């Protein structure tokens, strides 16, 4: 029998920790266990009870470490792996100076394959078991990404970037070509094993109205897919969108016009929003990918988490590598906490963990499959060592409750805190 019983501390969310008292939204088992079989969670609860019930399961004892659903990165650019931590530029210059030259290299399928392998190695080292990535305009960049994720048994989403203006010649497609390439890739990959295709117009400035129209048409034909793009990251970008689309009421209004909003649409960043945009994002059921390390690194601004949660907008946590400065979801949670503090709100550790798991799963409409370790869910798991470095350990020794034991790892932890990762029920 292929049954495993993983013992350790467990945390489960009885409800959304943003909707009431965050600590009481959570069920903590000091001696907990998760039982899995063939890639599926069978049970999650008290270790003593589960050991009696599943006495034939192979037991793996993670002792005081914390067993959680694998982390879910709701917005990332795998082709930017090699340019992470590039110095000194703001968004548009950063795209032109670092990003576009690197993305040009993905015309070479070997480069794409090598980068995809490195990218998923880094994800797994950091406990990320699912991500939603932009590829480049090259179909072979999608093939490389999907092939590598499939070989690792991962649930991932991704799509070919559509970009037909304001980019170098080698990185431009056309409205028609981007439609037909995206459609072919969608038909090739969507629903194969755990892979999902995402319609991916990069952002309004790099698409003509004709291309946004084509993206909207493709998504309307395939509403089972996600749609991802960028929204209101930097003020200069927003002004540029106003010049390029003078008839639109605002940046979000451009996407509304081309049917690129609603459930299944994931807007990266969404920092500098007007009242109208906040209201329309909420009314349309559009999701946001919050990219805190990117927002500080590129100097974009402070995302208003409190507002988004108050409006009931689905928000996922995201690294946004290579604009984001870390592959670590722990570092990303820490940055989200710091941005919250700068905006006057201390985001509770329960809320940070939720954002990196169930919050991202909801934003990506994957919450019936991943993001929780409930019976029937897919067995993607991360085990966190809560004493991974001396500074964390001395802090945890004084902890009075589970949150004081977990928060030091959120603020000070990195890949050394990732004790084990399971993907689809198999140790990675
Ligand atoms: N806006 C359009 N493209 C990008 C990108 O690659 N990274 C970030 N951070 N913002 C973008
Ligand atoms: Zn991005």
């Amino acid at each position: 029998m292929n049954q495993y019983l993983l013992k350790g501390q467990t945390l489960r969310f009885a409800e959304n920790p943003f909707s009431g008292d965050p600590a009481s939204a959570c069920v903590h088992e000091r001696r907990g266990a998760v039982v899995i079989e063939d890639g599926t969670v069978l049970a999650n609860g008290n270790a003593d009870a589960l050991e009696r019930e599943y006495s034939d399961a192979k037991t793996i004892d993670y002792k005081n470490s914390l067993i959680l659903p694998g982390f879910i990165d709701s917005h990332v650019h795998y082709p930017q792996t090699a340019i992470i931590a590039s110095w000194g530029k703001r968004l548009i210059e950063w795209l032109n100076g670092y990003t576009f030259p690197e993305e040009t290299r993905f015309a070479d399928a070997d480069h794409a394959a090598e980068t995809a392998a490195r990218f998923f190695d880094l994800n797994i080292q950091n406990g990320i078991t699912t991500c939603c990535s932009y590829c480049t305009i090259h179909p072979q960049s999608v093939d490389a990404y999907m092939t590598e994720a499939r070989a690792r048994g991962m649930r991932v989403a991704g799509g070919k970037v559509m970009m037909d203006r304001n980019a170098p010649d080698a990185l431009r497609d056309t409205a028609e070509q981007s439609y037909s390439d995206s459609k072919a890739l969608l038909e090739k990959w969507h629903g194969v094993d755990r892979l999902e295709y995402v319609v991916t117009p990069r952002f309004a400035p790099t698409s003509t109205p004709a291309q946004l129209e084509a993206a909207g048409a493709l998504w309307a034909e395939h509403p089972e897919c996600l749609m991802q793009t960028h929204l209101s990251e930097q003020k200069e970008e927003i002004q540029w969108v106003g010049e390029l689309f003078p008839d639109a009421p605002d940046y979000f209004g451009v996407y509304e016009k081309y049917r690129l909003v609603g459930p299944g649409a994931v807007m990266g960043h969404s920092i500098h929003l007007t009242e109208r945009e906040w209201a329309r994002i909420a009314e349309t059921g559009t999701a946001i990918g919050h990219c805190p390390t990117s927002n500080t690194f590129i100097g974009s601004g402070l995302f208003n988490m409190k507002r988004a949660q108050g409006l009931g907008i689905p928000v996922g946590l995201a690294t946004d590598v290579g604009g984001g400065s870390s592959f670590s979801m722990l570092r990303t949670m820490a940055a989200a906490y710091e941005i919250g503090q700068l905006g006057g709100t201390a985001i509770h550790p329960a809320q940070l963990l939720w954002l990196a798991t169930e919050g991202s799963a909801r934003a990506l409409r994957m919450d019936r499959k991943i993001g929780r370790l409930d019976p029937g869910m897919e067995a993607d798991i991360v085990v966190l060592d809560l004493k991974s470095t001396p500074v964390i350990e001395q802090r945890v020794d004084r902890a009075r409750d589970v949150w004081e034991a977990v928060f030091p790892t959120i603020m000070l932890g990195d890949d050394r805190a990732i004790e084990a990762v399971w993907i689809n029920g198999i140790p990675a």
Side-chain angles (χ1 to χ4, degrees):
M1 191 166 44
N2 205 13
Q3 223 174 55
Y4 291 92
L5 186 143
L6 314 184
K7 285 207 299 183
Q9 299 195 65
T10 56
L11 279 177
R12 276 175 297 135
F13 292 98
E15 55 197 67
N16 180 338
F18 283 98
S19 55
D21 173 45
S24 52
C26 224
V27 182
H28 172 229
E29 292 277 2
R30 188 85 192 67
R31 290 167 54 79
V34 178
V35 183
I36 62 177
E37 184 175 26
D38 295 333
T40 305
V41 176
L42 292 186
N44 184 345
N46 177 267
D48 299 328
L50 291 176
E51 276 185 310
R52 280 192 297 276
E53 192 178 340
Y54 295 93
S55 54
D56 292 338
K58 287 173 222 143
T59 297
I60 299 177
D61 191 353
Y62 290 116
K63 307 222 160 54
N64 284 322
S65 295
L66 180 63
I67 302 172
L68 292 173
F71 295 139
I72 303 170
D73 183 353
S74 62
H75 175 123
V76 66
H77 301 256
Y78 99 81
Q80 297 172 16
T81 299
I83 57 140
I84 189 171
S86 292
W87 184 83
K89 297 187 195 296
R90 288 177 62 78
L91 178 61
I92 305 304
E93 302 76 50
W94 177 86
L95 284 172
N96 288 321
Y98 296 124
T99 309
F100 291 161
E102 176 59 22
E103 290 193 11
T104 303
R105 299 183 65 192
F106 285 71
D108 173 4
D110 291 340
H111 181 69
E114 263 170 47
T115 306
R118 188 171 312 123
F119 170 81
F120 285 118
D121 283 347
L122 288 161
N123 272 252
I124 292 164
Q125 272 165 34
N126 285 286
I128 297 170
T129 51
T130 288
C131 63
C132 182
S133 183
Y134 291 62
C135 300
T136 65
I137 68 145
H138 313 96
Q140 54 271 41
S141 74
V142 179
D143 290 339
Y145 174 79
M146 296 294 189
T147 301
E148 190 65 39
R150 187 182 190 193
R152 295 168 192 247
M154 297 172 79
R155 176 165 295 287
V156 304
K160 180 200 118 70
V161 159
M162 306 168 81
M163 182 155 68
D164 68 346
R165 66 168 162 174
N166 294 318
D169 289 350
L171 278 189
R172 283 203 312 266
D173 49 23
T174 63
E176 299 75 34
Q177 189 74 44
S178 69
Y179 174 89
S180 54
D181 284 351
S182 299
K183 190 174 169 67
L185 289 163
L186 187 160
E187 285 165 359
K188 179 171 180 185
W189 292 113
H190 188 76
V192 173
D193 294 342
R194 304 179 78 201
L195 308 176
E196 299 188 25
Y197 192 79
V198 190
V199 178
T200 309
R202 181 177 212 116
F203 69 154
T206 49
S207 286
T208 58
Q211 185 168 64
L212 294 178
E213 186 90 48
L218 180 61
W219 193 34
E221 289 158 30
H222 292 281
E224 71 278 16
C225 293
L226 298 169
M227 191 295 305
Q228 60 184 348
T229 191
H230 294 83
L231 174 68
S232 296
E233 181 176 2
Q234 292 207 340
K235 292 195 173 154
E236 304 92 302
E237 169 209 11
I238 296 167
Q239 195 187 334
W240 193 24
V241 170
E243 291 159 14
L244 292 167
F245 297 91
D247 299 334
D250 46 42
Y251 199 157
F252 189 73
V254 174
Y255 296 135
E256 284 188 281
K257 174 167 181 192
Y258 296 104
R259 300 184 288 169
L260 296 167
V261 305
V266 186
M267 302 283 155
H269 307 286
S270 310
I271 298 170
H272 309 283
L273 301 174
T274 64
E275 292 301 314
R276 196 202 80 88
E277 288 176 302
W278 276 114
R280 290 297 296 154
I281 291 171
E283 280 161 20
T284 55
T286 303
I288 292 175
H290 173 38
C291 311
T293 72
S294 171
N295 298 163
T296 53
F297 182 74
I298 319 188
S300 302
L302 307 179
F303 174 67
N304 192 338
M305 179 67 77
K306 190 174 178 186
R307 183 98 194 250
Q309 295 296 342
L311 287 167
I313 297 169
V315 179
L317 196 63
T319 67
D320 193 31
V321 163
S325 58
S326 179
F327 274 92
S328 168
M329 284 301 264
L330 296 168
R331 302 294 314 122
T332 305
M333 285 181 236
Y337 177 77
E338 289 167 349
I339 286 180
Q341 284 284 59
L342 286 166
T345 305
I347 305 176
H348 191 276
Q351 295 169 327
L352 293 166
L353 291 175
W354 188 86
L355 284 169
T357 54
E358 193 171 344
S360 282
R362 287 191 187 186
L364 300 178
R365 288 197 307 197
M366 297 180 181
D367 51 302
R368 289 163 75 178
K369 300 187 177 116
I370 56 169
R372 300 175 62 90
L373 294 177
D374 289 348
M377 302 290 276
E378 296 172 355
D380 290 340
I381 294 170
V382 61
V383 182
L384 293 184
D385 173 1
L386 297 179
K387 294 187 171 186
S388 61
T389 67
V391 64
I392 295 174
E393 183 168 21
Q394 56 94 42
R395 180 70 188 81
V396 172
D397 285 341
R398 292 179 167 215
R400 290 165 302 178
D401 62 24
V402 63
W403 303 116
E404 287 191 5
V406 167
F407 192 56
T409 289
I410 291 177
M411 290 310 300
L412 299 161
D414 52 30
D415 54 338
R416 289 168 290 180
I418 308 300
E419 183 171 336
V421 178
W422 292 68
I423 295 173
N424 212 17
I426 296 171

